[in-house]
Amino acid sequence: MNEEFFQALTEVFGRWDVWLIVIASAVYGIFVGAIPGLTATMAVALFVPIAYWMDPVAALAAIVTMVACAIFSGDLPTVLLRIPGTPASAAYADDAYAFSKRGESERVLGLALLCSAFGGIVGAVVMMLVGQQLARVASWFSVTEYFWLYLIGLTCAILVAHGPKSKALLSLLLGLFLSTIGLSAAHMEPRFTFGIPSLYQGISFIPAMIGLFGLSEVLLILSQGDARSLSSSDQSLPPQRRWAATIASAFHEFGDRFRHHKAGTARSSFLGILVGMLPGAGADIASWVSFAASRRAASSEDSMETETLHSIGDATTANNAALAGSWIPALVFGIPGDSITAIVIGVLMMKNVTPGPQIFNEQSSLVFSIYLIFLMANLVLIPVGFLAIRLSGKILSIPKAILFPLIIVFCITGSFALNGSSFDVITMLVMGLIGLLLTRRGFPLGPVVLGIILGGPLEERFVQSLTASEGSPMGLVSRPLSIALALVLVGLVVAIWQSSQRERQRNSEAGRPSAR
């Protein structure tokens, strides 16, 4: 083992070409992730032809680095423009954007960066130490358990939403309805397509997300004639001193969080790894569930600002920890945890490497190299991420007369870039108008997005579970694990009901009409 480990150390840290590839991949990943509409999966897919000319260690180093950096950089448009770069970022888009409006964008981005790197490193260490044992947990999940897991994710969207829970529920139902448009995944029957061929593919969630969050915010400000402008942090200091102060402040805030929020940090890391290694779940659900768990466990002694920062930190920790988690079933069983690891398996097989139990005995040096690559990628993410934060902060100094048209151009190009479809641009524009209407009426937008994303898989798992049990609903609770997940769901519903009651009581005491 020692010989293979030292060989892996040399292969990863002792090769200058691997260092150059990692740095170039980090810049590429940051660039792709920061543009709404371009995804980490797309970045990896475009890289595959280049991977053909690389050895396995260099190719895997490039893929791991670009994905880790792309997931973090999805927070840049989320915080600065309220356009989630990834579905995982949608969980905290409104909360993070509120910091930008107060001139504290660098503060929340610095914390998100360090939490992302920390989550990725913890995920790599856990994968290294107990990856094979944890993989057995993933094998316990059948389609029924996935049905309950998706329901838990959707319920979390209601739990974390601001304002009346009844409005969050209606937003979620709207998202679920939109997910039914197109061909049914279970029966391949068209629904709500009205004979329009473009609707057969359904509503793509990325244009919908860009429209709901990005375009609607621009329309809202323009419709209100709002003179608000985003502002960067303290401009009284020279740029270099201000930047040094921002980095020092980020490390100080992360250290404080680590000292005073140990349980939350451990919980978000664990949730990220656990949810990430379940095929079909991934970083998106991990982020939403971790954000909800953080909100639920918030201490009454914490201020609202501290509670929000802890929740954002937990969500960003979880989504990067989920990346390492998704590699566990891919390495141990050869089962992809998500679309990216599916591509990775293809790249490995292209190099005559077959993932599965035998890889740990026959090519243990490569397995150690993968562990070390995860550590390297997340360490490189820190300096590259701070550089990206500094450069992206220039957005805040752009006059609104220029910034708003630029945002609209980003929304259009981001929607079009996904499939090269003008219908996606129309979807984005329509969802922008719907988002404006919902925001003005006090309806949260996050549940709509999550409903569109999880509605299809939820329906598919529900039909498969009923088919397996010959139509009996009892088949949904026929296994101990499915019963446990159903009880977790019941607990979340009770928590939502209690939260609604407390809000109703506060409104009653304040003499305000109840929103329910």
Side-chain angles (χ1 to χ4, degrees), residues 143-346:
V143 290
T144 307
E145 281 75 31
Y146 279 107
F147 166 74
W148 290 112
L149 185 65
Y150 291 146
L151 270 183
I152 289 172
L154 292 169
T155 310
C156 286
I158 301 175
L159 187 63
V160 302
H162 294 289
K165 301 305 179 193
S166 55
K167 289 190 173 182
L169 175 62
L170 290 174
S171 292
L172 178 62
L173 292 176
L174 174 62
L176 290 173
F177 166 72
L178 292 173
S179 74
T180 64
I181 295 175
L183 289 177
S184 162
H187 307 101
M188 299 306 290
E189 288 290 330
R191 298 178 301 196
F192 307 110
T193 55
F194 306 106
I196 302 173
S198 299
L199 281 177
Y200 278 61
Q201 298 299 320
I203 302 294
S204 178
F205 72 85
I206 289 183
M209 189 170 65
I210 293 173
L212 280 170
F213 283 95
L215 183 62
S216 72
E217 179 68 11
V218 173
L219 295 177
L220 181 65
I221 294 175
L222 292 177
S223 67
Q224 292 175 337
D226 196 337
R228 291 175 303 169
S229 61
L230 301 177
S231 57
S232 55
S233 55
D234 188 3
Q235 303 290 330
S236 61
L237 295 172
Q240 275 148 16
R241 284 187 59 196
R242 182 163 63 84
W243 185 239
T246 299
I247 295 175
S249 173
F251 276 100
H252 178 72
E253 191 133 34
F254 178 75
D256 271 353
R257 167 187 157 79
F258 195 74
R259 282 192 295 276
H260 303 301
H261 193 62
K262 294 186 184 70
T265 303
R267 180 186 59 239
S268 56
S269 302
F270 174 75
L271 279 174
I273 296 165
L274 182 64
V275 177
M277 70 182 187
L278 302 176
D284 302 342
I285 295 181
S287 177
W288 282 89
V289 171
S290 184
F291 192 76
S294 181
R295 277 286 170 82
R296 187 65 188 157
S299 168
S300 58
E301 297 176 359
D302 290 338
S303 65
M304 181 62 73
E305 181 180 280
T306 304
E307 178 187 329
T308 302
L309 282 174
H310 283 332
S311 301
I312 293 173
D314 284 349
T316 52
T317 300
N319 61 22
N320 264 43
L323 295 181
S326 66
W327 278 64
I328 293 175
L331 280 179
V332 177
F333 299 127
I335 300 172
D338 54 20
S339 55
I340 292 172
T341 47
I343 298 175
V344 167
I345 289 175

Side-chain angles (χ1 to χ4, degrees), residues 14-39:
R15 286 173 51 183
W16 63 269
D17 60 326
V18 172
W19 279 101
L20 287 179
I21 288 168
V22 164
I23 292 171
S25 301
V27 174
Y28 173 62
I30 290 282
F31 174 75
V32 171
I35 298 178
L38 301 186
T39 64

Side-chain angles (χ1 to χ4, degrees), residues 1-10 364-365 368:
M1 172 183 172
N2 287 338
E3 185 180 341
E4 286 87 359
F5 182 72
F6 285 115
Q7 183 182 347
L9 272 176
T10 306
S364 54
S365 172
F368 284 127

